[in-house]
Amino acid sequence: MTAALLHPRLEADTHAIGETSDMWLRWMDDQRFPWVIVVPKQHGVTEWYELPIESQHALLDMANRCGLYLKGLTGADKINIGALGNLVPQLHIHVIARRQDDACWPGPVWGQGEPQPYPTGQLPPWLPGLRERLSQRCA
């Protein structure tokens, strides 16, 4: 499969965490939620089942690791993992740390309230720990 470009909406709404040869890892610019986006680097893929089986497993592994690490780093009550793609057709997986006292609990985060971007230059407090854990796992 041909390598993909990151969809413009994902590019605009998220920032780089890092990448592997097969996927981009990004964080959603919304202070209300610790939120990671995992995007396979394969052109034209809109559904998980369209990926080769090895890529499906790698994507699942990455989403699971991001969820595990986010839960530990943030003390989340629940990790939401989803692949909607209704507005952005490029396959991407949302991994969101949720708390019972967050702005949208217990409902979904999509379309609820207004995003609260981080001030310019400020990074999410959980980001360094996530990067460290992901790099240790990849080493």
Side-chain angles (χ1 to χ4, degrees), residues 59-121:
L59 183 59
L60 177 61
D61 179 62
M62 184 61 75
N64 283 337
R65 286 192 288 136
C66 287
L68 173 70
Y69 301 152
L70 274 180
K71 189 163 188 169
L73 290 163
T74 66
D77 296 309
K78 181 75 173 97
I79 297 296
N80 292 171
I81 297 177
L84 282 78
N86 297 339
L87 293 176
V88 175
Q90 181 177 25
L91 178 61
H92 60 288
I93 310 305
H94 298 265
V95 182
I96 310 163
R98 301 293 307 276
R99 297 184 58 87
Q100 291 184 15
D101 61 355
D102 76 34
C104 299
W105 186 271
V109 299
W110 291 276
Q112 303 299 316
E114 292 296 319
Q116 297 175 8
Y118 284 87
T120 302

Side-chain angles (χ1 to χ4, degrees), residues 3-64:
L5 297 174
L6 191 62
H7 188 279
R9 176 122 186 212
L10 291 174
E11 182 78 37
D13 292 347
T14 66
H15 301 280
I17 294 172
E19 62 184 276
T20 70
S21 60
D22 299 328
M23 61 191 86
W24 291 291
L25 300 170
R26 315 236 350 139
W27 57 273
M28 182 67 78
D29 193 3
D30 188 344
Q31 294 182 64
R32 299 176 302 160
F33 313 102
W35 189 338
V36 173
I37 307 285
V38 184
V39 187
K41 292 181 180 177
Q42 295 190 352
H43 178 71
V45 174
T46 61
E47 306 296 343
W48 203 312
Y49 60 77
E50 294 172 341
L51 292 169
I53 194 72
E54 300 82 18
S55 298
Q56 291 179 34
H57 291 174
L59 183 59
L60 177 61
D61 179 62
M62 184 61 75
N64 283 337

